Amino acid sequence: MGFLKSEAIDCPGGCSTPSSRAFLGECPPEPYPGTDVDCCACCVAKYGSPPVCWAAVEGTDKHCHCYQKA
């Protein structure tokens, strides 16, 4: 699945380059109704910051994906 850099956001701690991050988990609901900013807030609320450093609403099915530093 792909996304444009402009569609994603650095959360506190930032890890915007793909090689600097690893998938952490998803933040429900699915499909995710909010923006990337909302997704980041959801990820930080669920997993904390750190480890969350980046988040994006990805895919045609609109899942909020949370990332941590690799």
PDB file of all heavy atoms in Angstrom, residues 42-64:
ATOM      1  N   CYS A  42      -4.613   9.642  18.049  1.00  0.00           N
ATOM      2  CA  CYS A  42      -5.131   8.327  18.432  1.00  0.00           C
ATOM      3  C   CYS A  42      -3.979   7.381  18.775  1.00  0.00           C
ATOM      4  O   CYS A  42      -4.016   6.689  19.791  1.00  0.00           O
ATOM      5  CB  CYS A  42      -5.987   7.769  17.288  1.00  0.00           C
ATOM      6  SG  CYS A  42      -6.790   6.196  17.652  1.00  0.00           S
ATOM      7  N   CYS A  43      -2.942   7.377  17.938  1.00  0.00           N
ATOM      8  CA  CYS A  43      -1.785   6.501  18.170  1.00  0.00           C
ATOM      9  C   CYS A  43      -1.081   6.853  19.473  1.00  0.00           C
ATOM     10  O   CYS A  43      -0.718   5.972  20.250  1.00  0.00           O
ATOM     11  CB  CYS A  43      -0.805   6.609  17.005  1.00  0.00           C
ATOM     12  SG  CYS A  43      -1.398   5.882  15.465  1.00  0.00           S
ATOM     13  N   VAL A  44      -0.878   8.140  19.706  1.00  0.00           N
ATOM     14  CA  VAL A  44      -0.206   8.581  20.931  1.00  0.00           C
ATOM     15  C   VAL A  44      -1.046   8.216  22.154  1.00  0.00           C
ATOM     16  O   VAL A  44      -0.518   7.761  23.170  1.00  0.00           O
ATOM     17  CB  VAL A  44       0.101  10.092  20.877  1.00  0.00           C
ATOM     18  CG1 VAL A  44       0.547  10.613  22.235  1.00  0.00           C
ATOM     19  CG2 VAL A  44       1.166  10.375  19.823  1.00  0.00           C
ATOM     20  N   ALA A  45      -2.367   8.368  22.051  1.00  0.00           N
ATOM     21  CA  ALA A  45      -3.245   8.007  23.166  1.00  0.00           C
ATOM     22  C   ALA A  45      -3.198   6.504  23.445  1.00  0.00           C
ATOM     23  O   ALA A  45      -3.242   6.078  24.598  1.00  0.00           O
ATOM     24  CB  ALA A  45      -4.672   8.449  22.875  1.00  0.00           C
ATOM     25  N   LYS A  46      -3.089   5.700  22.382  1.00  0.00           N
ATOM     26  CA  LYS A  46      -3.111   4.238  22.541  1.00  0.00           C
ATOM     27  C   LYS A  46      -1.753   3.671  22.965  1.00  0.00           C
ATOM     28  O   LYS A  46      -1.683   2.806  23.831  1.00  0.00           O
ATOM     29  CB  LYS A  46      -3.562   3.580  21.232  1.00  0.00           C
ATOM     30  CG  LYS A  46      -3.693   2.075  21.332  1.00  0.00           C
ATOM     31  CD  LYS A  46      -4.312   1.475  20.083  1.00  0.00           C
ATOM     32  CE  LYS A  46      -4.460  -0.037  20.229  1.00  0.00           C
ATOM     33  NZ  LYS A  46      -5.099  -0.639  19.057  1.00  0.00           N
ATOM     34  N   TYR A  47      -0.668   4.160  22.327  1.00  0.00           N
ATOM     35  CA  TYR A  47       0.652   3.557  22.535  1.00  0.00           C
ATOM     36  C   TYR A  47       1.633   4.439  23.303  1.00  0.00           C
ATOM     37  O   TYR A  47       2.656   3.955  23.775  1.00  0.00           O
ATOM     38  CB  TYR A  47       1.286   3.191  21.185  1.00  0.00           C
ATOM     39  CG  TYR A  47       0.512   2.160  20.416  1.00  0.00           C
ATOM     40  CD1 TYR A  47      -0.232   2.514  19.296  1.00  0.00           C
ATOM     41  CD2 TYR A  47       0.524   0.820  20.789  1.00  0.00           C
ATOM     42  CE1 TYR A  47      -0.939   1.570  18.566  1.00  0.00           C
ATOM     43  CE2 TYR A  47      -0.184  -0.139  20.081  1.00  0.00           C
ATOM     44  CZ  TYR A  47      -0.916   0.246  18.966  1.00  0.00           C
ATOM     45  OH  TYR A  47      -1.613  -0.696  18.258  1.00  0.00           O
ATOM     46  N   GLY A  48       1.360   5.751  23.390  1.00  0.00           N
ATOM     47  CA  GLY A  48       2.275   6.670  24.059  1.00  0.00           C
ATOM     48  C   GLY A  48       3.305   7.254  23.097  1.00  0.00           C
ATOM     49  O   GLY A  48       3.490   6.780  21.988  1.00  0.00           O
ATOM     50  N   SER A  49       3.977   8.301  23.544  1.00  0.00           N
ATOM     51  CA  SER A  49       5.014   8.935  22.740  1.00  0.00           C
ATOM     52  C   SER A  49       6.183   9.295  23.637  1.00  0.00           C
ATOM     53  O   SER A  49       6.083  10.234  24.427  1.00  0.00           O
ATOM     54  CB  SER A  49       4.459  10.193  22.072  1.00  0.00           C
ATOM     55  OG  SER A  49       5.470  10.822  21.302  1.00  0.00           O
ATOM     56  N   PRO A  50       7.327   8.567  23.551  1.00  0.00           N
ATOM     57  CA  PRO A  50       7.498   7.430  22.659  1.00  0.00           C
ATOM     58  C   PRO A  50       6.695   6.220  23.125  1.00  0.00           C
ATOM     59  O   PRO A  50       6.262   6.238  24.270  1.00  0.00           O
ATOM     60  CB  PRO A  50       9.005   7.176  22.726  1.00  0.00           C
ATOM     61  CG  PRO A  50       9.431   7.697  24.069  1.00  0.00           C
ATOM     62  CD  PRO A  50       8.477   8.834  24.381  1.00  0.00           C
ATOM     63  N   PRO A  51       6.506   5.235  22.298  1.00  0.00           N
ATOM     64  CA  PRO A  51       7.244   4.908  21.087  1.00  0.00           C
ATOM     65  C   PRO A  51       6.713   5.550  19.800  1.00  0.00           C
ATOM     66  O   PRO A  51       7.428   5.578  18.818  1.00  0.00           O
ATOM     67  CB  PRO A  51       7.132   3.394  20.999  1.00  0.00           C
ATOM     68  CG  PRO A  51       5.791   3.099  21.582  1.00  0.00           C
ATOM     69  CD  PRO A  51       5.627   4.126  22.691  1.00  0.00           C
ATOM     70  N   VAL A  52       5.459   6.024  19.776  1.00  0.00           N
ATOM     71  CA  VAL A  52       4.909   6.546  18.523  1.00  0.00           C
ATOM     72  C   VAL A  52       5.712   7.759  18.053  1.00  0.00           C
ATOM     73  O   VAL A  52       5.967   8.678  18.828  1.00  0.00           O
ATOM     74  CB  VAL A  52       3.418   6.924  18.682  1.00  0.00           C
ATOM     75  CG1 VAL A  52       2.907   7.651  17.453  1.00  0.00           C
ATOM     76  CG2 VAL A  52       2.580   5.695  18.945  1.00  0.00           C
ATOM     77  N   CYS A  53       6.109   7.730  16.776  1.00  0.00           N
ATOM     78  CA  CYS A  53       6.842   8.860  16.213  1.00  0.00           C
ATOM     79  C   CYS A  53       6.289   9.287  14.855  1.00  0.00           C
ATOM     80  O   CYS A  53       6.721  10.288  14.307  1.00  0.00           O
ATOM     81  CB  CYS A  53       8.328   8.538  16.087  1.00  0.00           C
ATOM     82  SG  CYS A  53       8.697   7.185  14.944  1.00  0.00           S
ATOM     83  N   TRP A  54       5.330   8.549  14.305  1.00  0.00           N
ATOM     84  CA  TRP A  54       4.784   8.878  12.990  1.00  0.00           C
ATOM     85  C   TRP A  54       3.454   8.146  12.836  1.00  0.00           C
ATOM     86  O   TRP A  54       3.274   7.065  13.394  1.00  0.00           O
ATOM     87  CB  TRP A  54       5.754   8.426  11.898  1.00  0.00           C
ATOM     88  CG  TRP A  54       5.575   9.027  10.553  1.00  0.00           C
ATOM     89  CD1 TRP A  54       5.922  10.288  10.168  1.00  0.00           C
ATOM     90  CD2 TRP A  54       5.045   8.395   9.385  1.00  0.00           C
ATOM     91  NE1 TRP A  54       5.637  10.463   8.832  1.00  0.00           N
ATOM     92  CE2 TRP A  54       5.104   9.324   8.337  1.00  0.00           C
ATOM     93  CE3 TRP A  54       4.523   7.123   9.141  1.00  0.00           C
ATOM     94  CZ2 TRP A  54       4.661   9.034   7.057  1.00  0.00           C
ATOM     95  CZ3 TRP A  54       4.086   6.837   7.866  1.00  0.00           C
ATOM     96  CH2 TRP A  54       4.159   7.784   6.839  1.00  0.00           C
ATOM     97  N   ALA A  55       2.515   8.749  12.092  1.00  0.00           N
ATOM     98  CA  ALA A  55       1.204   8.127  11.897  1.00  0.00           C
ATOM     99  C   ALA A  55       0.642   8.554  10.551  1.00  0.00           C
ATOM    100  O   ALA A  55       0.932   9.650  10.073  1.00  0.00           O
ATOM    101  CB  ALA A  55       0.254   8.532  13.011  1.00  0.00           C
ATOM    102  N   ALA A  56      -0.173   7.673   9.964  1.00  0.00           N
ATOM    103  CA  ALA A  56      -0.790   7.984   8.680  1.00  0.00           C
ATOM    104  C   ALA A  56      -2.060   7.175   8.510  1.00  0.00           C
ATOM    105  O   ALA A  56      -2.136   6.027   8.945  1.00  0.00           O
ATOM    106  CB  ALA A  56       0.166   7.678   7.539  1.00  0.00           C
ATOM    107  N   VAL A  57      -3.051   7.791   7.864  1.00  0.00           N
ATOM    108  CA  VAL A  57      -4.245   7.068   7.423  1.00  0.00           C
ATOM    109  C   VAL A  57      -3.886   6.519   6.054  1.00  0.00           C
ATOM    110  O   VAL A  57      -3.640   7.281   5.117  1.00  0.00           O
ATOM    111  CB  VAL A  57      -5.471   7.999   7.366  1.00  0.00           C
ATOM    112  CG1 VAL A  57      -6.689   7.226   6.892  1.00  0.00           C
ATOM    113  CG2 VAL A  57      -5.744   8.622   8.731  1.00  0.00           C
ATOM    114  N   GLU A  58      -3.801   5.194   5.954  1.00  0.00           N
ATOM    115  CA  GLU A  58      -3.264   4.558   4.753  1.00  0.00           C
ATOM    116  C   GLU A  58      -4.244   3.595   4.112  1.00  0.00           C
ATOM    117  O   GLU A  58      -5.097   3.015   4.787  1.00  0.00           O
ATOM    118  CB  GLU A  58      -1.979   3.791   5.100  1.00  0.00           C
ATOM    119  CG  GLU A  58      -0.891   4.678   5.631  1.00  0.00           C
ATOM    120  CD  GLU A  58       0.342   3.903   6.055  1.00  0.00           C
ATOM    121  OE1 GLU A  58       0.219   2.889   6.772  1.00  0.00           O
ATOM    122  OE2 GLU A  58       1.426   4.322   5.656  1.00  0.00           O
ATOM    123  N   GLY A  59      -4.051   3.397   2.813  1.00  0.00           N
ATOM    124  CA  GLY A  59      -4.791   2.400   2.058  1.00  0.00           C
ATOM    125  C   GLY A  59      -6.176   2.868   1.662  1.00  0.00           C
ATOM    126  O   GLY A  59      -6.716   3.828   2.199  1.00  0.00           O
ATOM    127  N   THR A  60      -6.756   2.159   0.698  1.00  0.00           N
ATOM    128  CA  THR A  60      -8.097   2.491   0.242  1.00  0.00           C
ATOM    129  C   THR A  60      -9.133   2.199   1.307  1.00  0.00           C
ATOM    130  O   THR A  60     -10.218   2.768   1.299  1.00  0.00           O
ATOM    131  CB  THR A  60      -8.438   1.718  -1.045  1.00  0.00           C
ATOM    132  OG1 THR A  60      -8.263   0.322  -0.794  1.00  0.00           O
ATOM    133  CG2 THR A  60      -7.550   2.150  -2.199  1.00  0.00           C
ATOM    134  N   ASP A  61      -8.782   1.320   2.259  1.00  0.00           N
ATOM    135  CA  ASP A  61      -9.702   0.988   3.344  1.00  0.00           C
ATOM    136  C   ASP A  61      -9.510   1.895   4.547  1.00  0.00           C
ATOM    137  O   ASP A  61     -10.131   1.708   5.579  1.00  0.00           O
ATOM    138  CB  ASP A  61      -9.574  -0.487   3.730  1.00  0.00           C
ATOM    139  CG  ASP A  61      -8.139  -0.910   3.953  1.00  0.00           C
ATOM    140  OD1 ASP A  61      -7.209  -0.104   3.720  1.00  0.00           O
ATOM    141  OD2 ASP A  61      -7.926  -2.057   4.369  1.00  0.00           O
ATOM    142  N   LYS A  62      -8.625   2.894   4.448  1.00  0.00           N
ATOM    143  CA  LYS A  62      -8.461   3.958   5.454  1.00  0.00           C
ATOM    144  C   LYS A  62      -8.201   3.427   6.860  1.00  0.00           C
ATOM    145  O   LYS A  62      -9.022   3.569   7.755  1.00  0.00           O
ATOM    146  CB  LYS A  62      -9.681   4.876   5.456  1.00  0.00           C
ATOM    147  CG  LYS A  62      -9.954   5.512   4.127  1.00  0.00           C
ATOM    148  CD  LYS A  62      -9.779   6.985   4.237  1.00  0.00           C
ATOM    149  CE  LYS A  62     -10.173   7.639   2.916  1.00  0.00           C
ATOM    150  NZ  LYS A  62      -9.206   8.635   2.528  1.00  0.00           N
ATOM    151  N   HIS A  63      -7.047   2.830   7.063  1.00  0.00           N
ATOM    152  CA  HIS A  63      -6.629   2.388   8.387  1.00  0.00           C
ATOM    153  C   HIS A  63      -5.649   3.395   8.959  1.00  0.00           C
ATOM    154  O   HIS A  63      -4.789   3.904   8.247  1.00  0.00           O
ATOM    155  CB  HIS A  63      -5.941   1.024   8.316  1.00  0.00           C
ATOM    156  CG  HIS A  63      -6.887  -0.089   8.055  1.00  0.00           C
ATOM    157  ND1 HIS A  63      -6.664  -1.362   8.513  1.00  0.00           N
ATOM    158  CD2 HIS A  63      -8.062  -0.144   7.399  1.00  0.00           C
ATOM    159  CE1 HIS A  63      -7.665  -2.153   8.134  1.00  0.00           C
ATOM    160  NE2 HIS A  63      -8.519  -1.426   7.455  1.00  0.00           N
ATOM    161  N   CYS A  64      -5.756   3.689  10.242  1.00  0.00           N
ATOM    162  CA  CYS A  64      -4.818   4.574  10.931  1.00  0.00           C
ATOM    163  C   CYS A  64      -3.649   3.716  11.414  1.00  0.00           C
ATOM    164  O   CYS A  64      -3.811   2.870  12.293  1.00  0.00           O
ATOM    165  CB  CYS A  64      -5.501   5.253  12.120  1.00  0.00           C
ATOM    166  SG  CYS A  64      -4.391   6.178  13.180  1.00  0.00           S
TER     167      CYS A  64
END
